Amino acid sequence: MFIQSKLPNIGTTIFTVMSSLAVKYNAINLGQGFPDFMMSEDLIALTNKAMSEGFNQYTHMNGYPLLRERLAEKIKKLYSTNINADSQITITPGGTYAIYTALTTILQPGDEVIVFEPAYDSYIPNIEINQAKPVLISLQYPNYSIPWEEVRKKVNNKTRAIIINTPHNPTGMVLSENDIEQLRSIVNGTNIFIISDEVYEHLIFDALQHQSILLHPDLLERSFVCFSFGKTYHCTGWKLGYCISSPELMQEYRKVHQFNAFSCDTPKQVALAEYLQNSSAYLSLGVYLQQKRDYFRELMKATPFQLIPSHGSYFECYSYQNLSNENDFDFAVRLTKENGITAIPLSSFYKNKTDNKVLRFCFAKKEDTLKSAVERLLSI
Ligand code: PMP
Ligand code: GLN
């Protein structure tokens, strides 16, 4: 049987490649972004309770109604924006699905989508599978800021969307108020949509404020804002997230969603609805993860790796240019095999495999894990 591939140039995601290598060589895995510490026991208990109480059948296609109401309340509190729980929120099986559904809702063959690189690895295949074209713009190394003048030059009448991601994976860069102003001035008066990947909404450090699109009702009119409970509550295996948009856009979004996932895991949604009442659980996340970032950063000072500071997410990037001329993929593989520590090479987040000799490390780990990992790096 012959399949004409819809993604002829796409291999296996780097996260799977590096995690498999980590298992094979028994390495400490600071590659793929997932915590190795326990999620909240309270949230587990609430999920068990929901299952025992019989919440085990399909819930509403758009998401468990009380969960959507609680999310609307949270958004009002955090961003002072009124969101209608019935018409503007859809619960999805993860943030990646939320983004894919948004792109599939809006893209026609030949449309262009502006993507900033390094980019989370699902964006480009999501665009290409819709027969649209990613228009790539490199963030400015080494601070990974957006070159807005270049964005202005690349916008044309085929531009259908711009994808933003703050806090940013893989660099930990966060957008500023000025970035949002620049974005607004570019999209004003156009038909350009914004896909805003905000899965690291609460994982922001150094007393910086998360610049959510939800702060800006005028921008939300043209946006799909995507979140992940997996990232917020340290349960990436739950694969549960949500998308927020205007009522008009959400109506079209749900046409795609209803014949794909239709609805998501019920007991976890019931549990999350109750757990969202506890605002300190999400408000304390930034401080908690910053302690881990700072602990890892302090340990890394003893190594020859050079820090590229992160202000959010699960990740911090380091240059190894003092250590080797090898390309970053080969270096990362060697680090796994010979030193027993796994990181993600940044070239994987560029379509043309730009190699600045940088690795991404996930610090969402127990202190012991981070300590053992850096001890292994010291032996290089
Ligand atoms: N966007 C970015 C930037 C991410 O790092 C992740 C984490 N995997 C996602 C989206 C999607 O998260 P989920 O696991 O909920 O699909
Ligand atoms: N978001 C995680 C990362 O960047 C992993 C996502 C995945 O494995 N697909 O590492």
Side-chain angles (χ1 to χ4, degrees), residues 224-267:
F224 294 91
V225 192
C226 302
F227 298 89
S228 167
F229 290 113
K231 295 292 174 184
T232 298
Y233 292 121
H234 306 139
C235 49
T236 59
W238 278 25
K239 291 300 293 188
L240 212 52
Y242 55 104
C243 180
I244 301 194
S245 190
S246 72
E248 294 74 22
L249 300 186
M250 192 47 88
Q251 211 176 344
E252 281 300 312
Y253 185 95
R254 287 172 176 172
K255 289 186 191 172
V256 180
H257 168 67
Q258 70 183 339
F259 296 123
N260 199 359
F262 174 69
S263 69
C264 307
D265 186 305
T266 303

Side-chain angles (χ1 to χ4, degrees), residues 15 31-33 120 169 200 231 315 360:
F15 306 121
Q32 192 178 18
Y120 181 55
N169 180 4
Y200 299 105
K231 295 292 174 184
F315 311 111
R360 185 197 83 173

Side-chain angles (χ1 to χ4, degrees), residues 2-7:
F2 173 73
I3 293 179
Q4 176 142 18
S5 176
K6 291 191 169 182
L7 297 170

